[in-house]
Amino acid sequence: MKRAIVTGATGMIASALIRLLVSKGVEVYALCRPGDDKNDEFFNSPLVHAVDADISDLVSAKEKIDQSCDVLYHFAWLGTFGNSRGDAYTQSDNIKYTLDAVTLASETGCKCFVSSGSQAEYGRTEEKLTGATPVNPETGYGIAKFASGKLSRIYANQLGIRHCWVRILSVFGQKGNPNSIIMSSLDKMLKGEYTSFTKGEQQWDFLHCDDAALALYLIGEKGKDGKVYPLGSGETRLLKDYIIAMRDCVNPELKVGIGDLPYNEGQVMYLCADISELTEDTGFKPSLTFEEGIIRTAQWMKGERK
């Protein structure tokens, strides 16, 4: 891979991927919403070209990409949080924008299209997730992700582009969603605040964004056409064990309120990716333990406060 296009370039996983691509000498066209804060250090690299391109007009970005590229990584998406995940019109628009991203890939010479799906495509399940696991999305967001994956694969095949769909589970790290359980809890712990949780009996699978970036890079290089790859660490722990590990990384003396809160209605109790096919096809294996990822994330959060 010599050149890549990354949409949604300022998001957590996209940013981690761009940092990795630059470290490997890959030239990157980083597509950002006009007005996005381009404060990542990678924007100072001569290998990175910042391209203002609204998600509703991705195809026009071709005018600012003056070289043939190899892979397009698509992360841009509207309505990822709160009530917007159920907004039918917004989520329907995202399907079109994903197809627009495939068009951009074709018009810039890309031979591979890699896009971010979601665990939300599966709905609630108690089995380890594979590309063949039956889906039952329960939100507009999950439905739109699933439809985008199916339709973009058809379109990419028509254009002769290798298509890989990555159903991402629970990723955390630098620039992560501040409202997610890992980021919000870590923030409070770093401030020395008491934090309340449920009993923490959920079995979940967490992956640091730098490992997610490694997996995506390898999928762009070696992923098989038409494959759906669930992306996580491939292992679970009880949520309460993650909480204790996170607390111990920050301050072993800090008290945490495990069991203070009731479970939400429809609580997901089991979530784990089967990454055996991903490993077989690409060689991906997580390089960071959960604790190492927490330490890396905490260092970033401390730096953001200075």
Side-chain angles (χ1 to χ4, degrees), residues 57-100:
D57 195 23
L58 290 177
V59 177
S60 69
K62 179 183 181 297
E63 300 171 4
K64 303 174 184 178
I65 300 173
D66 54 4
Q67 301 179 85
S68 179
C69 298
D70 302 299
V71 182
L72 189 147
Y73 291 96
H74 181 52
F75 297 99
W77 195 271
L78 299 178
T80 57
F81 304 120
N83 293 334
S84 62
R85 289 169 67 95
D87 186 287
Y89 280 100
T90 297
Q91 298 304 335
S92 177
D93 286 342
N94 282 315
I95 299 171
K96 177 187 180 299
Y97 301 151
T98 302
L99 297 177
D100 288 345

Side-chain angles (χ1 to χ4, degrees), residues 3-306:
R3 297 185 191 90
I5 300 169
V6 180
T7 74
T10 58
M12 172 182 64
I13 300 176
S15 294
L17 174 62
I18 293 172
R19 289 193 295 270
L20 178 62
L21 291 172
V22 169
S23 74
K24 293 183 177 296
V26 178
E27 193 171 359
V28 180
Y29 288 90
L31 274 57
C32 314
R33 289 174 300 186
D36 270 357
D37 188 0
K38 303 177 183 66
N39 60 357
D40 282 276
E41 288 187 7
F42 62 68
F43 282 112
N44 296 323
S45 168
L47 290 173
V48 176
H49 311 283
V51 177
D52 283 339
D54 190 83
I55 188 173
S56 64
D57 195 23
L58 290 177
V59 177
S60 69
K62 179 183 181 297
E63 300 171 4
K64 303 174 184 178
I65 300 173
D66 54 4
Q67 301 179 85
S68 179
C69 298
D70 302 299
V71 182
L72 189 147
Y73 291 96
H74 181 52
F75 297 99
W77 195 271
L78 299 178
T80 57
F81 304 120
N83 293 334
S84 62
R85 289 169 67 95
D87 186 287
Y89 280 100
T90 297
Q91 298 304 335
S92 177
D93 286 342
N94 282 315
I95 299 171
K96 177 187 180 299
Y97 301 151
T98 302
L99 297 177
D100 288 345
V102 178
T103 297
L104 178 62
S106 176
E107 293 187 351
T108 53
C110 293
K111 301 303 181 184
C112 179
F113 178 81
V114 181
S115 191
S116 58
S118 170
Q119 67 190 47
E121 296 175 57
Y122 292 108
R124 282 171 286 178
T125 180
E126 295 184 358
E127 62 180 285
K128 210 167 187 180
L129 302 173
T130 72
T133 300
V135 299
N136 184 27
E138 298 177 347
T139 64
Y141 173 80
I143 292 167
K145 283 287 188 181
F146 177 66
S148 293
K150 286 288 191 180
L151 290 171
S152 62
R153 180 179 302 129
I154 292 171
Y155 187 32
N157 288 345
Q158 292 170 345
L159 296 172
I161 297 173
R162 179 164 54 96
H163 181 282
C164 299
W165 191 256
V166 188
R167 290 183 180 150
I168 299 172
L169 274 65
S170 301
V171 174
F172 70 97
Q174 302 89 299
K175 300 187 73 175
N177 175 9
N179 298 314
S180 69
I181 187 168
I182 294 296
M183 300 301 286
S184 61
S185 301
L186 183 56
D187 180 62
K188 289 181 179 179
M189 289 178 184
L190 288 169
K191 294 175 181 176
E193 297 177 5
Y194 180 84
T195 308
S196 293
F197 301 93
T198 65
K199 292 180 180 179
E201 298 161 313
Q202 305 96 309
Q203 294 184 62
W204 283 355
D205 178 346
F206 286 106
L207 184 72
H208 188 265
C209 63
D210 290 344
D211 271 332
L214 175 60
L216 288 155
Y217 168 74
L218 291 170
I219 290 169
E221 288 275 271
K222 305 175 183 178
K224 305 299 183 183
D225 181 38
K227 284 286 186 76
V228 173
Y229 293 109
L231 179 57
S233 71
E235 299 180 353
T236 64
R237 295 191 211 174
L238 293 175
L239 179 60
K240 62 183 179 183
D241 293 338
Y242 285 117
I243 293 166
I244 295 301
M246 184 163 47
R247 187 277 312 272
D248 289 348
C249 287
V250 175
N251 178 2
E253 304 300 320
L254 190 65
K255 292 183 178 180
V256 292
I258 295 176
D260 286 356
L261 302 175
Y263 290 117
N264 294 327
E265 183 179 354
Q267 175 68 63
V268 175
M269 297 302 294
Y270 182 83
L271 189 63
C272 184
D274 182 340
I275 63 170
S276 58
E277 197 167 13
L278 173 59
T279 300
E280 180 180 350
D281 289 350
T282 70
F284 170 72
K285 293 181 180 178
S287 62
L288 297 172
T289 65
F290 176 74
E291 288 81 0
E292 289 169 338
I294 288 296
I295 291 170
R296 190 170 292 189
T297 306
Q299 290 172 341
W300 172 80
M301 293 175 80
K302 291 176 182 177
E304 284 292 292
R305 292 174 181 162
K306 292 181 180 179

